């Protein structure tokens, strides 16, 4: 009896498998009726400080008319990193204009780009860096800015008002400036990292195995390996450079067991580890997250004294898919305002490139303690330092493959 | 006094070891949660150091408390709404399917059976990734956001009521239905008036299980989420825990726990009311017993 | 038309059953079966040149096997850097599942046999974790396992020792224990249901005949609970295969990544989405084997409930 039932069950499973197998290809004819997204086929321009780019005005997305006011009761959708906009600034904007702000966050730039490209989420503002600008404009995702709304625009440093990655500032407004260096706590790391010949070597020093972290950003982490070896072209397309990165990065993973994250600004103050690759804004932010029992004087940040390290700025762009471009312009203008930017800076720790915030007075104005003065980015750093640029598609794929191998664990 | 060896060997002694293991397990299982609930009332920003009692993270803090921070209380309401929607669709669909598949023979129901079995057994990430592809790569009615999340959740949960109700159907057998038909009821009437009433505990149990599973779901709702207004509590906790969490997160999860307890209490009371006067009802049905 | 037991069936009633089952069947066909084909079409498709988003290819004759070959080569080829994650997944899931069994069996047994009047509250306490969000339980452990958290403080025995283990940085132990903690409630209930059904009379007979507790367990209880054990092992192990968030929360390091992490890292990365499809199909194929086991173990009709 049990055998008969078993046989009957097995036969029905086999029948079912046949039915499913026959129906699947039939379904694909149905599926091909569902369209797929069409993609743009223009070639991509890659801006760099030596080859500035003026982007063409979009034929598809027009700039909005000037002179409008944001409508109360509407929603403004912002897409940004976590903890990268002060909640106080958002609340103040909401109260001032009666607009409801909805902030969505992403963990890494790749994921963000995919969600933005799907166009389903209708974000108004997005905070990328210039390394994805070519892709965003090439795929017609951005709306040109209407500068009539940006009355605070001249608060920006003059060198940022007409940047090399967007001549004429048609699509972008600078948001923050930062450098990438090494952060550590003197109470957990006895070595004098700043005094070393090659401070980047400390990331391979097994004394700190299991007690350090690197940034969860493929380009930032991999460029650090190049800088360790004295290679200044951090956007290299050479295979030999990539092989070097691969060897040393895998060696780092095997011997050091690093944490790979972007939460250094909370983890290091909490004592999770004492040494990490760090963005300057996170370093400036650490005193806020330190427990009361630990003095902010233990925090340190190192950036190459000759200025030959990674220096970048983030931007804010207006997405064409958004439904509230007027409020979006008002928001951009708001964060260019000096007092609002000060509040934002106080929360995020990332410098705004505005005239009122002269790097030389940041310490004396009390924004950060003296021991973190090296985390301040100056205007001249941008002449000497290296920005992270967009890579050509083949190189981009190759670099991502190495990063994928790294993240797969060994 | 008997020797320890004799005590150990006595087959009729009380099961102290098993009892101790059970108590130990309960403590291991529930204590961390109690600690998390405790720290939601912390006066300071730490989640590990007690700094005094305060309701700051529930409604006190004007920026970051659950009451004032839109993304936090939206997560809570969205979670409960997903639970209600998904359960309301899954249960009728699943019960009907259980009834139909039990009696229908042929290739198509065999294929449907296989599909139910596969969706029951396969890891959730399969459904999540495949539906994410449909939502983002194809131009289809499936969109990121609440609608996509509900569609994905129902697909994933559909096998639960089918399996549970079919098990109960097997135990009930055909006798009652055939008696009703012999007494003059139509086949549909027999189902409606006799069978469904007898299936009520199993339907209830599956509704409870589906609701609990949906409000706890992570993979599907994360991949199919839209902007922050469609992030349920599980996604919010995951995103915030990897950035800079405050005790507001503990407060949010405590509130969800409270909402679940209310739902359980309501469900339990409703179950007792529906099955009043019946013999043999017990909590066993929620453990999957027929 | 006569049925097997000889009763007549009223005419026109046979339509009701297909009608009831069709909505659910159509739902599963459209939202479960068809999307699996979309995964295949993306895996064997291409990518758009600018954003490197996936472009699916529907016709099997036009399929491009490059992405699949890339994944396959890096599992079994000369540079198998995906293989460690797959091996780790099997290892972690096996150890965590066995750990769950070790914990769940005594608890389920106690509840089924010895709970007496405490059975109701005990069952409620065992069902409770289902109502406590998985994320909340993991978050609770993240808080406890921080370097200045309660675990280290307790282990330091109030200042006697100085325990500063960094539990949350790339330790396989933490991830396996986390998986066990998270999934053990899924195992207890099916085990309890199965053990509850085992006839008490047999156990008492064994004891009456002089068997010790251990012998009773080994020769009577354990064989009787085989089906329940197999079912609960599957119900616990299979969801663990797709887990990636436990690893993300309890260990920020690539050294403990599982196949779920491979999928999660590549599914939204431009140019690597097709590879995510490959990993998804690997999980599908690997899960079919336990599924066959599950069908065989639940072949008797009364045991179809898991």
């Amino acid at each position: 009896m049990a055998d008969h039932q078993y046989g009957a069950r097995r036969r029905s499973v086999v029948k079912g498998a046949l039915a499913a197998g026959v129906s699947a290809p039939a379904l694909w004819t149905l599926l091909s009726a569902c369209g797929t997204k069409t993609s743009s086929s223009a070639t991509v321009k890659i801006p760099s400080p030596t080859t500035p780019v003026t982007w063409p005005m979009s034929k598809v997305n027009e700039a909005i008319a000037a002179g409008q006011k944001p409508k109360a009761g509407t929603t403004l959708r912002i897409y940004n990193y976590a903890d990268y906009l002060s909640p106080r600034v958002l609340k103040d904007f909401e109260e001032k204009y009666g607009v409801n702000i909805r902030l969505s966050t992403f963990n890494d730039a790749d994921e963000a780009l995919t969600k933005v490209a799907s166009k389903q989420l209708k974000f108004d503002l997005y905070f990328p860096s210039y390394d994805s600008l070519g892709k965003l404009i090439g795929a017609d995702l951005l709306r040109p800015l209407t500068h009539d709304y940006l009355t605070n625009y001249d608060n920006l440093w003059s060198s940022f008002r007409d940047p090399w990655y967007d001549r004429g500032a048609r699509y972008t407004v600078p948001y923050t400036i930062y450098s990438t260096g090494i952060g550590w706590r003197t109470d957990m790391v006895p070595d004098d990292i700043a005094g070393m010949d090659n401070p980047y070597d400390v990331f391979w020093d097994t004394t700190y195995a299991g007690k350090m972290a690197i940034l969860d950003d493929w380009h930032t982490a991999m460029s650090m390996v190049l800088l360790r070896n004295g290679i200044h072209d951090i956007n290299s397309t050479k295979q030999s450079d990539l092989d070097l990165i691969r060897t040393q990065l895998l060696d780092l993973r095997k011997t050091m067991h690093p944490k790979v994250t972007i939460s250094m600004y909370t983890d290091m103050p909490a004592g999770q580890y004492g040494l990490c690759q760090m963005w300057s804004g996170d370093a400036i932010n650490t005193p806020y997250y330190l427990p009361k029992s630990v003095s902010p004087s233990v925090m340190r940040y190192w950036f190459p004294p000759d200025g030959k390290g990674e220096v970048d700025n983030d931007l804010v762009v207006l997405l064409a898919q958004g439904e509230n471009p007027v409020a979006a312009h008002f928001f951009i203008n708001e964060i260019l305002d000096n007092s609002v930017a000060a509040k934002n800076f106080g929360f995020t720790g990332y410098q705004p490139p505005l005239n009122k915030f002269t790097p030389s007075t940041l310490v004396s104005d009390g924004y950060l303690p003296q021991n973190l003065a090296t985390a301040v980015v100056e205007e001249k750093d941008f002449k000497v330092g290296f920005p992270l640029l967009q890579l050509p598609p083949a190189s981009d794929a190759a670099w991502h493959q190495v990063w994928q191998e790294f993240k797969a664990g060994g | 006094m008997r020797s320890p060896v004799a005590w150990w060997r006595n087959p009729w002694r009380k099961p102290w070891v098993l009892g101790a293991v059970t108590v130990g397990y309960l403590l291991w299982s529930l204590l961390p949660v109690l600690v998390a609930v405790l720290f939601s009332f912390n006066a300071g920003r730490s989640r590990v150091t007690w700094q005094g009692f305060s309701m700051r993270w529930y409604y006190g803090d004007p920026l970051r408390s659950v009451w004032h921070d839109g993304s936090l209380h939206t997560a809570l309401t969205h979670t409960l709404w997903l639970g209600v929607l998904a359960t309301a669709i899954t249960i009728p669909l699943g019960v009907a399917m259980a009834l139909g598949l039990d009696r229908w023979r042929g290739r198509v129901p065999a294929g449907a059976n296989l599909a139910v079995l596969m969706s029951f057994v396969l890891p959730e990430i399969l459904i999540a990734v495949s539906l994410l592809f449909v939502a983002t790569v194809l131009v289809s009615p499936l969109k990121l956001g609440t609608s996509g999340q509900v569609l994905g959740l129902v697909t994933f949960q559909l096998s639960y009521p089918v399996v549970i109700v079919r098990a109960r159907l097997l135990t009930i057998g055909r006798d009652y239905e055939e008696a009703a038909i012999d007494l003059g009821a139509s086949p549909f009437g027999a189902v409606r008036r006799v069978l469904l009433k007898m299936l009520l505990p199993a339907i209830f149990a599956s509704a409870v299980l589906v609701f609990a599973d949906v409000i706890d779901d992570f993979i599907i709702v994360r991949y199919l989420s839209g902007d922050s207004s469609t992030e349920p509590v599980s996604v919010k906790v995951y995103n915030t825990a990897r950035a800079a969490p405050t005790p507001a997160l503990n407060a949010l999860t405590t509130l969800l726990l409270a909402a679940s307890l209310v739902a359980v209490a309501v469900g339990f009371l409703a179950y007792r009311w529906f099955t009043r006067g019946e013999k043999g009802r017990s909590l066993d049905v929620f453990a999957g017993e027929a | 038309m006569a049925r097997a037991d000889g009763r007549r069936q009223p005419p026109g009633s046979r339509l009701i059953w297909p009608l009831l089952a069709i909505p659910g069947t159509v739902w599963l066909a459209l939202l479960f079966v068809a999307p699996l084909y979309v995964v295949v079409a993306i895996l064997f498709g291409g990518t758009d040149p600018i954003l490197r988003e996936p472009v699916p290819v529907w016709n099997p004759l036009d399929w491009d096997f490059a992405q699949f070959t890339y994944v396959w080569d890096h599992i079994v080829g000369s540079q198998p850097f995906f293989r460690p994650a797959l091996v780790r997944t099997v290892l972690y899931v096996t150890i965590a599942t066995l750990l769950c069994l070790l914990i769940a069996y005594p608890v389920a047994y106690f509840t089924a046999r010895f709970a007496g009047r405490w059975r109701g509250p005990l069952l409620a306490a065992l069902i409770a974790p289902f109502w406590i969000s998985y994320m909340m339980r993991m978050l609770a452990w993240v808080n406890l396992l921080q370097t200045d958290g309660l675990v280290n403080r307790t282990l330091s025995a109030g200042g006697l020792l100085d325990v500063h283990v960094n539990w949350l940085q790339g330790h396989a132990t933490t991830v396996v224990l986390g998986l066990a903690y998270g999934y053990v409630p899924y195992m207890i209930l099916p085990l309890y249901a199965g053990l509850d059904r085992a006839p008490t009379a047999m156990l008492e007979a064994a004891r009456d005949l002089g068997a010790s507790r251990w012998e009773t367990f080994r020769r009577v209880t354990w064989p009787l609970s085989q089906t329940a054990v197999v079912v609960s092992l599957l119900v616990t192990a299979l969801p663990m295969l797709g887990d990636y968030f436990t690893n993300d929360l309890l260990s920020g390091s690539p050294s403990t990544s599982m196949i779920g992490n491979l999928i999660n890292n590549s599914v939204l990365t431009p140019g690597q989405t097709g590879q995510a499809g490959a990993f998804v199909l690997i999980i599908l194929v690997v899960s079919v084997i336990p599924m066959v086991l599950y069908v065989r173990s639940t072949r008797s009709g009364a045991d179809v409930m898991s």
Side-chain angles (χ1 to χ4, degrees):
Chain A
M1 172 83 155
D3 281 335
H4 171 75
Q5 278 185 319
Y6 173 52
R9 254 201 116 70
R10 191 164 62 168
R11 274 200 294 281
S12 98
V13 168
V14 169
K15 267 202 285 189
L18 275 177
V22 160
S23 63
L27 280 169
W28 75 256
T29 40
L30 198 67
L31 282 172
S32 41
C34 275
T36 45
K37 302 246 172 70
T38 51
S39 59
S40 177
S41 58
T43 50
V44 175
K45 281 189 270 189
I46 298 182
S48 78
T50 48
T51 55
V53 167
T54 311
W55 301 105
M57 291 300 265
S58 170
K59 298 186 191 65
V60 179
N61 308 312
E62 285 182 6
I64 60 169
Q68 304 176 62
K69 288 233 172 286
K71 267 195 243 151
T74 53
T75 309
L76 177 66
R77 291 183 175 76
I78 305 181
Y79 198 35
N80 202 352
Y81 278 103
D83 299 319
Y84 207 29
L85 266 175
S86 161
R88 180 85 266 160
V89 165
L90 298 178
K91 262 280 182 335
D92 288 346
F93 184 83
E94 284 182 325
E95 282 162 13
K96 185 169 174 188
Y97 293 102
V99 170
N100 183 25
I101 293 187
R102 197 182 289 174
L103 174 68
S104 303
T105 62
F106 54 84
N107 284 314
D108 67 74
D110 282 335
E111 166 197 333
L113 196 56
T114 309
K115 289 256 161 123
V116 166
S118 78
K119 293 195 214 169
Q120 286 186 35
L121 305 179
K122 308 244 185 292
F123 295 122
D124 294 291
L125 291 174
Y126 173 44
F127 288 74
S129 184
Y130 33 73
D131 60 354
S132 45
L133 208 48
K135 297 180 200 168
L136 290 167
I137 295 178
D140 267 325
L141 291 168
L142 300 189
R143 187 187 298 283
L145 296 169
T146 309
H147 276 263
D148 303 47
Y149 289 106
L150 305 179
T151 54
N152 293 325
Y153 196 75
D154 287 337
N155 287 351
L156 284 168
W157 291 354
S158 52
S159 56
F160 278 89
R161 285 186 226 153
D162 191 27
W164 47 267
Y165 51 82
D166 184 18
R167 281 272 186 256
R170 289 179 170 180
Y171 291 100
T172 67
V173 171
Y175 179 52
T176 58
I177 56 176
Y178 55 93
S179 63
T180 308
I182 305 177
W184 72 97
R185 286 174 62 147
T186 49
D187 58 345
M188 292 173 78
V189 172
D191 292 335
D192 176 24
I193 296 178
M196 290 165 70
D197 284 334
N198 188 354
Y200 292 113
D201 280 339
V202 76
F203 287 138
W204 280 262
D205 182 350
T206 48
T207 331
Y208 302 109
K211 301 192 199 126
M212 46 83 72
I214 61 171
L215 282 166
D216 188 7
D217 181 87
W218 60 277
H219 207 165
T220 315
M222 290 164 80
S223 312
M224 181 265 291
V225 179
L226 289 177
L227 289 173
R228 176 204 189 198
N229 292 280
I231 299 173
H232 288 165
D233 180 14
I234 59 177
N235 306 296
S236 166
T237 51
K238 283 197 270 194
Q239 187 60 40
S240 56
D241 284 345
L242 195 57
D243 290 335
L244 178 75
I245 295 176
R246 182 178 170 272
T247 318
Q248 296 194 2
L249 202 59
L250 293 183
D251 182 47
L252 179 98
R253 182 186 69 194
K254 191 163 69 143
T255 53
M256 299 296 289
H257 304 294
K259 200 158 171 118
V260 182
T261 175
I262 56 170
S263 56
M264 283 85 176
Y265 57 100
T266 45
D267 288 346
M268 204 153 78
Q272 290 296 108
Y273 38 81
L275 170 71
C276 61
Q277 187 189 18
M278 210 167 193
W279 286 313
S280 61
D282 284 350
I284 294 176
N285 214 6
T286 46
Y288 176 74
Y289 289 99
L290 280 171
K292 303 264 183 317
S293 54
V294 181
S295 154
S297 60
V298 308
M299 296 302 313
R300 293 282 184 282
Y301 179 80
W302 176 85
F303 183 72
D306 58 2
K308 292 195 191 304
E310 293 172 40
V311 188
D312 292 288
N313 66 286
D314 279 345
L315 335 155
V316 55
V317 294
L318 185 66
L319 291 175
Q321 60 193 251
E323 291 167 342
N324 204 348
V326 180
H329 278 90
F330 272 79
F331 187 80
I332 300 176
N333 197 37
E334 194 75 6
I335 55 180
L336 288 174
D337 172 87
N338 287 320
S339 57
V340 174
K343 266 187 239 162
N344 209 22
F345 179 30
F347 175 79
T348 65
Y350 283 82
Q351 282 172 256
L354 302 183
N355 288 323
K356 182 171 173 266
F357 297 94
T358 41
S360 49
T361 56
L362 285 180
V363 175
S364 50
D365 284 344
Y367 283 108
L368 59 150
Q370 178 61 40
N371 48 294
L372 287 173
T374 40
V376 172
V377 179
E378 318 225 352
E379 217 170 330
K380 63 173 168 53
D381 290 331
F382 285 90
K383 294 192 179 52
V384 187
F386 316 122
L388 289 176
L389 301 176
Q390 183 177 337
L391 296 174
S395 276
D396 192 279
W399 278 58
H400 270 98
Q401 273 174 14
V402 171
W403 186 243
Q404 183 188 40
E405 181 178 353
F406 173 72
K407 292 274 279 221
Chain B
M1 195 56 202
R2 300 167 67 184
S3 74
V5 174
W7 174 79
W8 182 259
R9 286 229 187 101
N10 176 11
W12 302 108
R13 68 176 160 92
K14 285 212 160 48
W16 293 114
V17 174
L18 283 182
V21 169
T22 307
V23 170
Y25 164 72
L26 283 176
L27 286 177
W28 177 64
S29 174
L30 297 173
L31 264 187
V33 174
L34 289 174
V35 171
V37 170
L38 179 68
F39 273 95
S40 70
F41 295 104
N42 198 9
R45 231 175 36 231
S46 167
R47 289 162 303 124
V48 294
T49 317
W50 183 250
Q51 293 160 316
F53 182 92
S54 145
M55 294 292 284
R56 158 184 189 189
W57 303 108
Y58 285 91
Y59 55 79
D61 193 298
L63 278 181
R64 315 196 72 164
S65 61
V66 177
W67 182 255
H68 286 106
D69 185 342
S71 65
L72 290 179
H73 62 249
T74 314
L76 190 58
T77 50
H78 184 68
T79 309
L80 296 172
W81 180 231
L82 279 181
V84 167
L85 266 184
T87 311
I89 298 178
T90 309
I91 297 305
L93 212 56
V95 171
M97 201 172 178
L99 285 172
L101 286 182
D102 191 58
R103 282 93 196 277
W104 188 16
R105 297 276 165 263
R107 282 230 174 78
V108 177
N113 264 318
L114 183 65
V116 168
L117 183 62
M118 276 178 65
S119 74
F120 185 76
V121 156
L122 293 177
E124 192 183 346
I125 199 168
L126 257 85
I127 297 183
V129 169
S130 55
L131 288 179
L132 173 70
F133 286 169
V134 171
T136 54
V137 177
L138 298 186
V139 176
S140 70
L142 185 73
K143 300 254 173 273
L144 296 178
T146 311
S147 62
Q149 288 170 325
V150 170
L151 290 176
L153 285 168
V154 173
T155 311
F156 180 56
Q157 301 288 344
L158 195 57
S159 51
Y160 262 120
V162 174
V163 167
I164 295 179
V165 168
R166 282 194 80 172
R168 182 78 173 133
L169 273 176
L170 273 164
T171 322
I172 294 177
R174 300 288 186 109
D175 303 340
Y176 296 95
E177 235 181 307
E178 287 172 5
I181 292 177
D182 282 345
L183 288 170
S186 70
F188 188 62
V191 167
R192 190 167 58 90
R193 301 169 82 176
V194 176
L195 207 51
L196 278 182
K197 279 224 69 170
M198 297 186 72
L199 285 174
L200 214 48
I203 295 179
F204 225 126
S206 48
V208 159
L209 280 171
V210 166
F211 186 76
D213 225 22
V214 167
I215 59 178
D216 195 18
D217 192 84
F218 175 73
I219 301 186
I220 288 183
V221 295
R222 177 168 178 250
Y223 280 143
L224 293 171
S225 67
D227 64 16
S228 63
S229 65
T230 54
E231 281 178 3
V233 172
S234 50
V235 178
K236 192 80 192 129
V237 170
Y238 176 79
N239 285 341
T240 316
R242 298 166 73 210
T246 61
L249 212 56
N250 295 41
L252 180 64
T253 47
T254 308
L255 285 173
L256 184 63
L257 179 61
S260 313
L261 286 176
V262 168
V264 170
V266 167
F268 185 64
L269 288 175
Y271 171 68
R272 288 189 83 96
W273 188 79
F274 270 117
T275 56
R276 64 190 184 285
E278 288 179 25
K279 289 190 303 184
R281 60 184 184 153
S282 72
L283 275 183
D284 285 2
V285 70
F286 292 95
E289 288 280 306
Chain C
M1 170 150 204
R3 292 202 327 240
D5 53 0
R7 299 272 191 119
R8 257 185 322 111
Q9 192 164 21
S13 70
R14 298 184 63 210
L15 264 186
I16 179 183
W17 309 121
L19 273 177
L20 283 176
I22 286 282
T25 312
V26 169
W27 184 290
L28 281 183
L30 282 181
L31 286 168
F32 176 62
V33 180
L36 290 177
Y37 193 75
V38 176
V39 174
V40 172
I42 285 182
L43 167 62
F44 298 125
T47 52
D48 115 43
I50 297 187
L51 291 172
R52 297 204 288 129
E53 302 301 319
V55 175
V57 169
W58 303 111
N59 190 343
L61 300 172
D62 297 328
W63 279 351
D64 171 15
F65 291 92
Q67 295 187 98
F68 180 75
T69 316
Y70 177 78
V71 171
W72 189 250
D73 281 346
H74 289 106
I75 297 178
V76 298
S78 60
Q79 279 189 335
F81 57 78
F82 288 135
R83 202 194 308 164
L86 300 185
V87 168
R88 258 200 302 271
T89 308
V90 173
L91 198 65
Y92 290 179
V93 170
T94 312
I95 299 178
T97 312
L98 289 177
L99 209 59
C100 283
L101 186 63
L102 219 59
I103 299 171
Y105 201 97
V107 174
Y109 192 70
F110 180 82
T111 313
R113 295 255 150 263
F114 300 116
R117 60 199 166 97
W118 291 104
R119 176 187 283 210
L122 198 52
L123 262 184
L126 291 176
I127 296 175
F130 284 106
W131 292 95
I132 305 174
S133 156
Y134 185 95
M135 283 297 159
M136 180 181 196
R137 296 159 65 219
M138 279 306 134
L139 183 68
W141 275 107
V142 168
N143 291 343
L144 293 176
L145 289 173
Q146 291 197 313
T147 16
D148 53 348
L150 275 176
V151 170
N152 276 345
R153 277 199 229 155
T154 318
L155 288 177
S156 300
L160 289 176
L161 315 159
D162 189 27
V163 178
H164 253 96
V165 180
N166 200 346
W167 298 102
L168 295 173
Q169 183 147 339
H171 287 289
T173 330
T174 316
V175 177
V176 170
L177 285 176
L179 283 172
Y181 179 79
Y183 288 91
V184 78
Y186 291 94
M187 188 174 263
I188 290 188
L189 292 186
L191 267 183
Y192 164 80
L195 287 171
D196 196 40
R197 271 194 218 118
T200 328
M202 280 209 200
L203 298 178
E204 292 185 356
R207 290 208 208 124
D208 283 342
L209 289 170
S212 71
R213 296 176 89 91
W214 173 249
E215 273 184 356
T216 314
F217 173 74
R218 191 169 63 85
R219 303 174 77 174
V220 182
T221 320
W222 178 253
L224 278 179
S225 55
Q226 282 303 287
T227 316
V229 168
V230 168
V231 166
S232 54
L233 279 177
L234 289 176
V235 163
T236 311
L238 285 168
M240 265 195 220
L241 280 180
D243 188 301
Y244 66 86
F245 40 92
T246 309
N247 185 44
D248 278 344
L249 287 175
L250 293 179
S251 154
S253 174
S255 334
T256 51
S257 60
M258 297 165 63
I259 191 172
N261 295 99
L262 292 179
I263 296 178
N264 189 45
N265 288 340
S266 50
V267 79
L268 285 174
T269 304
Q272 292 179 349
T273 314
Q275 295 168 22
F279 293 121
V280 162
L281 286 183
I282 291 177
I283 291 189
L284 177 68
V285 167
V286 165
S287 304
V288 164
I289 306 167
M291 190 172 82
V292 169
L293 274 180
Y294 173 80
V295 169
R296 294 180 95 189
S297 77
T298 57
R299 62 180 181 258
S300 119
D303 276 349
V304 79
M305 178 53 215
S306 70

